[in-house]
C-alpha cells in the first residue's frame, strides 16, 4: 500500500524569460500590469527552461523526497512530453504504474512567461481534461493519504473519489482549482465533512464560503463547522498562513526566501508539505482528532519551508525539499501564534 497517492494534473511546463516584453498597466490583473504582445510581429526570448508541473506531479515529488512511498496519478498523452514527465517522475522514485495515457489528446502543456518572479501562465489542459474514474484502478491506489487537486473537466471525479476514500478510510487532502470552486461549490461544501485537510488561498476561501476574506472570522467559522474533524489551511502568499483544527487557530509568516525566483508551485509545495508533516506525526483518517498542537506546528513548518524553497527555484518541483534539507538549521524555527477558538 502507498503512503500517499497524488491525483490530479500532470503538465509539461515551458518557462520563457519574458523580462524584455513591454508592459502596460491593467487594473483587471492581480499585478495591475499586463504584457503587450505585438500581433503580427516577433519577440525574441533570451532563455527557455523545460520542466514538469501540475498539482499531482508537484505533490508526489514532495512525498517522495520526504521519503514516503508515493504514487502520481493523472492522465498524460501518448507523446514525447508524456514520456518525459514519466521519466522525470521515475527519477524522483515516484510510482507511475497507474498513470493513464490518452490515445487522443496530448499531454497538458503550460507556457510560463516570466518576469521578476511573477508570471503569466498559458495553460492547455489536454489529456488531463479527459481524466475520469474509468482511468483508475482504485484498489491499487489505496493509501494512508490521497492528495486531490483536479483541474478542468476532471473535477467530475471529485465526488466518486471522496466517496471511495471515505469507504476505505483514506485521509484526503484537497486543494480545489478555481474552476472547481466556481462550478462545484456546493459539492465541495458538502464533501468537507469527509476531508482531512483543506488547503485554500484567501481568494479561494472567500469564493467557497461566499464571504469576503476581510471577515476572516466568519470565513473560518463557516468552514470549521463543515470541515470538522478535518484541518483547514488558508494561505496568503508571502504573508503566510492561517490554520484551524477546530480547537485552535494557528498563524504563521514564512521563512524569508533568499531570492524570489518563481512562485509557481508555492501552493502545491505548501499543501503537500503539510501532508508530509502530518504523515511524520502518523496522523491518518482514523486518528485525525488526535493531531496535537505540536503536530500542526510541525506540519506548518515543513509546509512553509517547502514553499519557500520552491519559490527560490525556477519550476514547481526543483526546490522541493528532501527530508534532510527540511530539517536543516535554516528551516528549524518558524514562529506560530496559537489561539484557542
Ligand atoms: N514569496 C514567498 N516567500 C515565502 N513563502 C511563500 C512565498 N509565496 C508563498 N509562500 C508560501 O507558500 C504558501 C502558499 O502560497 P500562496 O498563498 O501563494 O498559494 P496559492 O495562491 O495557492 O499559489 P499557487 O499559485 O501555487 O496555487 C504561503 O502560505 C507561504 O507559506
Ligand atoms: Mg493554489
Amino acid at each position: 500500500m502507498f503512503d500517499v497517492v497524488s491525483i490530479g494534473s500532470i503538465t509539461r511546463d515551458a518557462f520563457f524569460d519574458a523580462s524584455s516584453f513591454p508592459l502596460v498597466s491593467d487594473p483587471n490583473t492581480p499585478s495591475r500590469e499586463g504584457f503587450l504582445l505585438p500581433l503580427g510581429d516577433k519577440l525574441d526570448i533570451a532563455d527557455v527552461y523545460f520542466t514538469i508541473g501540475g498539482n499531482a506531479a508537484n505533490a508526489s515529488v514532495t512525498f517522495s523526497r520526504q521519503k514516503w512511498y508515493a504514487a502520481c496519478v493523472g492522465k498524460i498523452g501518448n507523446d514525447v512530453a508524456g514520456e518525459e514527465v514519466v521519466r522525470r517522475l521515475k527519477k524522483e522514485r515516484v510510482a507511475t504504474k497507474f498513470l493513464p495515457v490518452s490515445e487522443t489528446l496530448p499531454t497538458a502543456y503550460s507556457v510560463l512567461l516570466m518576469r521578476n518572479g511573477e508570471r503569466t501562465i498559458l495553460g492547455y489542459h489536454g489529456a488531463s481534461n479527459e481524466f475520469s474514474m474509468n482511468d483508475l484502478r482504485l484498489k491499487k491506489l489505496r493509501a494512508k493519504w490521497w492528495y486531490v487537486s483536479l483541474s478542468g473537466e476532471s473535477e467530475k471525479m471529485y465526488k466518486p473519489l471522496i466517496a471511495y476514500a471515505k469507504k476505505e478510510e483514506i485521509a484526503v487532502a484537497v486543494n480545489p482549482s478555481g474552476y472547481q470552486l466556481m462550478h462545484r461549490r456546493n459539492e465541495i461544501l458538502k464533501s468537507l465533512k469527509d476531508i482531512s485537510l483543506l488547503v485554500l488561498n484567501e481568494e479561494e476561501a472567500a469564493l467557497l464560503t461566499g464571504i469576503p476574506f476581510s471577515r476572516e472570522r466568519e470565513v473560518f467559522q463557516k468552514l470549521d463547522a463543515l470541515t470538522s474533524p478535518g484541518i483547514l489551511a488558508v494561505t496568503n502568499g508571502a504573508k503566510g498562513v492561517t490554520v484551524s483544527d477546530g480547537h485552535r487557530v494557528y498563524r504563521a509568516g514564512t521563512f524569508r526566501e533568499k531570492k524570489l525566483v518563481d512562485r509557481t508551485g508555492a501552493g502545491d509545495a505548501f499543501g503537500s508539505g503539510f501532508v508530509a508533516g502530518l504523515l511524520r506525526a502518523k496522523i491518518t483518517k482514523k486518528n485525525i482528532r488526535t493531531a496535537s498542537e505540536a503536530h500542526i506546528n510541525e506540519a506548518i513548518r515543513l509546509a512553509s519551508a517547502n514553499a519557500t524553497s520552491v519559490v527560490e527555484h525556477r519550476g514547481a518541483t526543483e526546490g522541493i525539499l528532501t527530508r534532510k534539507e527540511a530539517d536543516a538549521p535554516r528551516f528549524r524555527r518558524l514562529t506560530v501564534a496559537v489561539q484557542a477558538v
Side-chain angles (χ1 to χ4, degrees):
M1 190 172 91
F2 293 110
D3 291 312
V4 203
V5 177
S6 306
I7 305 171
S9 65
I10 301 174
T11 64
R12 182 82 170 125
D13 285 357
F15 287 78
F16 285 31
D17 176 358
S19 52
S20 64
F21 286 12
L23 286 181
V24 286
S25 71
D26 179 352
N28 299 318
T29 71
S31 67
R32 298 179 184 279
E33 286 181 312
F35 289 123
L36 181 69
L37 299 179
L39 186 61
D41 205 350
K42 280 185 190 169
L43 278 180
D44 273 344
I45 305 280
D47 186 30
V48 291
Y49 176 73
F50 293 92
T51 185
I52 62 169
N55 316 101
N58 299 342
S60 67
V61 171
T62 295
F63 298 129
S64 187
R65 289 196 188 169
Q66 288 294 315
K67 293 203 189 311
W68 299 106
Y69 184 28
C72 178
V73 190
K75 200 158 188 170
I76 54 171
N78 186 5
D79 50 22
V80 176
E83 280 167 24
E84 176 61 9
V85 165
V86 169
R87 192 184 68 82
R88 295 218 189 190
L89 288 174
K90 279 191 175 147
K91 208 167 140 209
E92 293 287 346
R93 299 172 176 273
V94 171
T96 56
K97 217 167 124 188
F98 304 107
L99 263 181
V101 179
S102 168
E103 286 308 323
T104 52
L105 290 172
T107 301
Y109 201 104
S110 294
V111 173
L112 298 95
L113 305 177
M114 303 297 299
R115 189 186 180 106
N116 292 338
E118 195 45 89
R119 80 287 195 241
T120 298
I121 303 183
L122 313 177
Y124 168 65
H125 288 305
S128 70
N129 238 354
E130 64 165 35
F131 186 25
S132 75
M133 291 307 282
N134 295 333
D135 292 316
L136 298 183
R137 289 157 72 188
L138 284 171
K139 277 192 185 146
K140 304 275 187 194
L141 300 180
R142 282 188 218 150
K144 291 178 194 139
W145 279 83
W146 276 359
Y147 187 90
V148 176
S149 190
L150 302 167
S151 72
E153 293 299 320
S154 69
E155 62 174 17
K156 292 190 188 102
M157 303 164 76
Y158 185 71
K159 213 171 152 184
L161 280 175
I162 301 293
Y164 185 82
K166 183 180 182 182
K167 187 168 94 161
E168 296 294 330
E169 295 200 295
I170 299 164
V172 187
V174 175
N175 180 208
S177 70
Y179 186 74
Q180 191 186 358
L181 282 164
M182 275 183 266
H183 288 82
R184 297 188 181 244
R185 184 169 162 251
N186 277 326
E187 189 177 287
I188 299 173
L189 287 169
K190 273 191 205 138
S191 74
L192 294 181
K193 61 182 188 332
D194 301 317
I195 285 175
S196 296
L197 173 67
L198 177 68
V199 184
L200 302 165
N201 64 31
E202 287 191 357
E203 295 78 48
E204 292 162 348
L207 202 59
L208 182 58
T209 54
I211 303 169
F213 205 79
S214 51
R215 283 153 48 200
E216 190 193 26
R217 246 181 96 95
E218 280 174 59
V219 172
F220 271 90
Q221 270 169 355
K222 178 159 180 177
L223 291 176
D224 267 338
L226 295 169
T227 313
S228 177
I231 299 162
L232 173 67
V234 180
T235 64
N236 185 17
K239 295 207 179 88
V241 66
T242 307
V243 173
S244 171
D245 60 9
H247 310 290
R248 294 168 290 259
V249 175
Y250 306 72
R251 285 176 212 280
T254 58
F255 289 103
R256 178 157 324 148
E257 72 270 11
K258 288 178 188 154
K259 181 173 187 277
L260 177 67
V261 173
D262 164 28
R263 63 179 194 83
T264 311
D268 295 336
F270 188 92
S272 57
F274 204 103
V275 173
L278 294 176
L279 270 161
R280 270 196 196 192
K282 300 195 169 60
I283 298 297
T284 58
K285 170 92 184 191
K286 279 184 201 149
N287 67 8
I288 185 96
R289 283 176 201 276
T290 68
S292 68
E293 188 175 322
H295 293 150
I296 306 245
N297 280 334
E298 171 64 1
I300 295 173
R301 182 191 73 80
L302 191 54
S304 304
N306 204 32
T308 290
S309 181
V310 162
V311 304
E312 288 174 344
H313 295 79
R314 184 163 52 171
T317 59
E318 280 71 355
I320 285 172
L321 298 172
T322 61
R323 198 173 265 217
K324 199 169 156 208
E325 288 165 345
D327 293 336
R330 178 183 173 201
F331 293 125
R332 208 157 281 162
R333 224 173 275 286
L334 180 71
T335 305
V336 182
V338 186
Q339 223 180 359
V341 185

